[in-house]
Amino acid sequence: GIIRVNSQSGKGGIAYLLETDYGVTLPRRLQIEFSQVVQCVTDATGKELTAGNIWEVFDSEYLKAIDPVEFLSHTTVPDAHASEVRHLTAKIRHKGADATIQGSGNGPIDAYCSALAALHGIEIDLLSYSEQATGRGQNTQAVAYIELKTKDGSLWGVGADRNIVTAALKAVTSAVNRLLTA
């Protein structure tokens, strides 16, 4: 049968649906944030949401958050003088135009956060990062969950890709786009 989720449903219901139907296991604080996103949708439409509707909301809110920045590709190299520092060059589409940004940090995620922060004149810090594998065999994908600290609190981004680093960088992009369009 179909499980209907309305604005009265608990966070557990939403997280449970995403996990059982789509293999996506949301970190606890992301469950709380996403339940608020779903609440806004149910309040605005007055409708109950099916599992499919919930996935569409999740997909558009997090995975398809590519405005104003869409992540395309990256390269990273260690610093010549400090091996713990990484320099990252990322190709992005910014407001519809291809661009290249650069940043440095203790790893590719940190370096990419620096590059995006500099591009937009914002302050962000990585609060938490987790990852999971979904699917099997040829269909295996990495899903990355990134929580960024902002001047007003924190917010999440989610990215999916066959490459775990790319998934993480897409998740950072998702969070920054959600911050910029909030």
Side-chain angles (χ1 to χ4, degrees):
I2 194 160
I3 302 175
R4 296 201 171 269
V5 174
N6 59 35
S7 58
Q8 306 310 310
S9 298
K11 299 165 190 62
I14 294 167
Y16 177 79
L17 284 180
L18 288 180
E19 192 161 348
T20 51
D21 291 9
Y22 298 94
V24 172
T25 308
L26 306 189
R28 182 86 189 114
R29 288 194 305 275
L30 175 54
Q31 289 180 26
I32 294 165
E33 183 189 275
F34 181 55
S35 72
Q36 291 163 346
V37 171
V38 171
Q39 178 91 44
C40 289
V41 173
T42 56
D43 288 352
T45 62
K47 292 195 176 82
E48 293 186 325
L49 299 181
T50 62
N53 298 145
I54 293 212
W55 176 257
E56 285 161 21
V57 172
F58 181 79
D59 193 39
S60 66
E61 179 73 23
Y62 296 97
L63 295 172
K64 290 198 171 85
I66 57 168
D67 179 50
V69 178
E70 182 179 1
F71 174 83
L72 300 176
S73 66
H74 81 283
T75 54
T76 175
V77 294
D79 185 276
H81 304 291
S83 60
E84 71 280 3
V85 175
R86 303 293 298 181
H87 297 292
L88 173 129
T89 302
K91 287 187 171 44
I92 61 169
R93 194 160 288 128
H94 186 251
K95 298 177 181 169
D98 287 0
T100 300
I101 58 174
Q102 294 181 310
S104 298
N106 60 18
I109 298 170
D110 190 41
Y112 187 56
C113 284
S114 303
L116 284 177
L119 176 67
H120 295 101
I122 54 176
E123 284 181 44
I124 51 172
D125 282 305
L126 183 64
L127 263 186
S128 70
Y129 165 74
S130 59
E131 63 189 56
Q132 71 169 124
T134 63
R136 287 193 174 75
Q138 290 298 304
N139 299 321
T140 302
Q141 273 207 314
V143 179
Y145 306 98
I146 296 268
E147 185 182 18
L148 292 183
K149 183 173 185 290
T150 67
K151 65 177 177 40
D152 300 319
S154 75
L155 88 177
W156 288 84
V158 184
D161 195 86
R162 289 194 167 175
N163 178 298
I164 185 59
V165 176
T166 301
L169 300 181
K170 284 181 174 178
V172 171
T173 309
S174 163
V176 168
N177 283 334
R178 294 183 65 242
L179 175 63
L180 295 171
T181 56

